[in-house]
Amino acid sequence: MKTRAVVLRGTSTARPYTGSRPVEVEELDLGAPREGEVLVRIAAASLCHSDLSVVNGDRVRPLPMALGHEAVGVIEETGPGVGRVAPGDHVALVFVPSCGFCRHCAEGRPALCGQAAAANGSGALLHGPSLLTDAAGETVHHQLGVSAFSEYAVVAQESVVPIPRDVPFSVASLFGCAVLTGAGAVINTAALRPGQATVVYGLGGVGLSAVLGARAAGAYPVIAVDPVPEKRALALRLGATHAYDPADAIEEIRELTSGGAELAVEAVGSPQVMAACLAAVARGGRVVSVGLPAPDRVLEVPALAFAGEGKSLLGSYMGDAVPRRDIPRFLDLWRAGLMPVEKMHTGTLPLTDINEALEELASGRAIRQVLDTSGMLES
C-alpha cells in the first residue's frame, strides 16, 4: 500500500529549517504486516526533541529514514500470530518494543531489551527488515520501530499499547514518549516518595512530564529550572511550586530546601546540566538523567560527590517504564486531573508543515506540537 511519510535523507543544522527544509513528505510503499506485526492508521503524532536530534545529526541513524516515534492511532489490520490487539482498537505507540524473554525484559526493564535496541539501531522492525521503500525502490529505514510521521505505519505488536477510545488522540499522543520518559523517571527510576524536594532542569515535553510526575507523586517543593520564562510559567501552571532561571537556581534551591533537593531530574541532554543537578541535591541526593547528549559529550564532576557525599547519578531510558502497565495508569492520573498534559500542547499542524514544526521546536518556542497525519483529529 501507499503512505505519505516524512523522510530525512541527510542531516542538517542549517536554520531556519523553514528555509533549508531538511525533511520532506514523500509517498512510500509500505509492505503488509508480517507475523507479529500490525498496520496502524496514525491519528496524531507529536514532535519530540529526539526527532530533532536525528535531523541535526546528534543521534546518528541510518538514512534515509521515515521519522516520528511518539504517536497514537487505530489498528487497521493484524498479521498472523497477533493476539494482543484487533482492528478498531485505539493504541499508543511505544518507541522501544521488547522481546519479552531477555534478561532485561525478565527483570521488568523492557526499555533495555537488547533485541529491540539492535532493531531500532539498524532502522528495522523487531520482527524483520524495513517494510518501507521509496519511488526508486530504495529501502527507507524506520525510526525506533515506529515512523509515525506518516498516514500509516506497520509496527511490531510489542510496539503498541491499547488505550480507551474516549481519550482524545491529541492527548494520548504524548503518553508513548514524553510522559513515559519524564513521569517514569520520577516514579519508576527515582521511586520518589511524598514530601521529597524535587528539581527538574529543562522544561521541554519530557521535563514538564517529570514535573507532572513529581506533582502526582506528592513531591514538595517541585522546582522547575529553565532559561525560557514562558516555560517556567507553564511549569507553574502544571504544578511546580517554584521556578528559576538556571543562573539563579543553585542558590535559590539550597535556600529553599535548607541545603539541597533530594531529587534532581536532568532533561536537557547536557553534561553541564548534569553537573548542575549534582550540585543542586543535598548529601545523599539522587540525580536522574533522561536527556540524550551527543555521543562525544563528556561529563566531568567532582568524584568526591559520590562516596564522600553519598550522591548518586542514575540513567533512565524511557523512564524505566513497562508501557503496558504504565500508560494505562498514567492515563488514569490524567483522568483524575493530576497529569493535565493537554496544557503542553502548543499547536496542531498538517504533515506538510513538518519543517515549520522543526523550527518551532529548535527555537525553544514549542513544547509539544501535534501533527494531524491523516485527518482524524476532529473525530
Side-chain angles (χ1 to χ4, degrees), residues 69 71 92-97 144-146 158-161 176 180 318 323 327:
H69 70 280
L93 280 73
V94 178
F95 66 92
V96 181
L144 299 176
V146 178
E158 293 86 355
S159 292
V160 300
V161 174
L180 274 188
M318 202 173 73
I327 288 178

Side-chain angles (χ1 to χ4, degrees), residues 2-379:
K2 301 288 187 181
T3 183
R4 292 192 314 147
V6 170
V7 178
L8 173 70
R9 293 191 174 272
T11 59
S12 173
T13 58
R15 293 183 55 201
Y17 291 126
T18 50
S20 62
R21 306 193 68 80
V23 298
E24 295 293 343
V25 177
E26 299 184 19
E27 185 172 81
L28 303 178
D29 286 306
L30 175 63
R34 298 164 296 206
E35 184 165 357
E37 296 176 340
V38 298
L39 172 66
V40 182
R41 183 181 180 189
I42 305 298
S46 299
L47 193 65
C48 170
H49 201 278
S50 294
D51 303 312
L52 182 61
S53 296
V54 175
V55 171
N56 67 22
D58 283 348
R59 306 298 296 170
V60 179
R61 299 294 183 192
L63 302 177
M65 175 168 279
L67 298 182
H69 70 280
E70 184 181 65
V72 64
V74 178
I75 299 292
E76 292 279 311
E77 181 185 341
T78 60
V82 173
R84 300 183 181 186
V85 290
D89 287 350
H90 289 202
V91 293
L93 280 73
V94 178
F95 66 92
V96 181
S98 55
C99 72
F101 299 101
C102 69
R103 173 169 60 92
H104 294 298
C105 289
E107 290 173 347
R109 304 187 73 187
L112 301 181
C113 175
Q115 185 176 340
N120 281 359
S122 68
L125 297 178
L126 186 66
H127 298 296
S130 172
L131 289 171
L132 292 167
T133 54
D134 64 15
E138 180 183 5
T139 296
V140 176
H141 299 89
H142 298 269
Q143 184 188 11
L144 299 176
V146 178
S147 293
F149 295 162
S150 178
E151 295 169 319
Y152 293 91
V154 170
V155 303
Q157 65 175 332
E158 293 86 355
S159 292
V160 300
V161 174
I163 60 173
R165 297 189 184 196
D166 64 335
V167 180
F169 289 133
S170 59
V171 169
S173 66
L174 276 67
F175 279 80
C177 177
V179 176
L180 274 188
T181 302
V186 170
I187 294 170
N188 297 326
T189 309
L192 179 72
R193 295 192 297 274
Q196 291 188 320
T198 299
V199 56
V200 178
Y201 272 76
L203 302 177
V206 170
L208 289 170
S209 293
V211 169
L212 289 173
R215 174 200 181 202
Y220 187 85
V222 178
I223 305 161
V225 181
D226 196 280
V228 180
E230 292 80 6
K231 291 184 176 180
R232 297 198 299 269
L234 177 56
L236 292 169
R237 294 198 298 273
L238 289 172
T241 58
H242 302 77
Y244 303 120
D245 185 275
D248 308 317
I250 299 295
E251 182 178 347
E252 296 285 357
I253 291 166
R254 288 174 175 169
E255 181 176 353
L256 179 65
T257 60
S258 301
E262 287 153 292
L263 171 65
V265 177
E266 186 278 328
V268 178
S270 162
Q272 290 78 16
V273 177
M274 292 182 200
C277 285
L278 276 167
V281 296
R283 294 171 63 87
R286 292 155 295 154
V287 174
V288 175
S289 176
V290 300
L292 291 171
D296 60 346
R297 303 292 299 279
V298 176
L299 173 65
E300 294 186 8
V301 295
L304 194 60
F306 302 106
E309 299 178 7
K311 297 180 182 182
S312 58
L313 174 59
L314 305 172
S316 179
Y317 189 50
M318 202 173 73
D320 279 317
V322 180
R324 292 179 68 85
R325 175 197 69 192
D326 291 337
I327 288 178
R329 70 173 177 169
F330 290 158
L331 282 170
D332 285 343
L333 291 173
W334 169 77
R335 288 187 191 279
L338 296 175
M339 282 193 176
V341 299
E342 62 275 7
K343 293 182 181 179
M344 297 194 295
H345 184 183
T346 50
T348 300
L349 302 92
L351 201 60
T352 50
D353 285 354
I354 180 61
N355 286 295
E356 287 75 8
L358 284 171
E359 181 59 30
E360 283 296 297
L361 182 61
S363 72
R365 293 185 292 267
I367 304 297
R368 269 307 188 264
Q369 301 167 94
V370 176
L371 297 175
D372 186 356
T373 57
S374 54
M376 299 177 69
L377 282 185
E378 66 276 11
S379 61

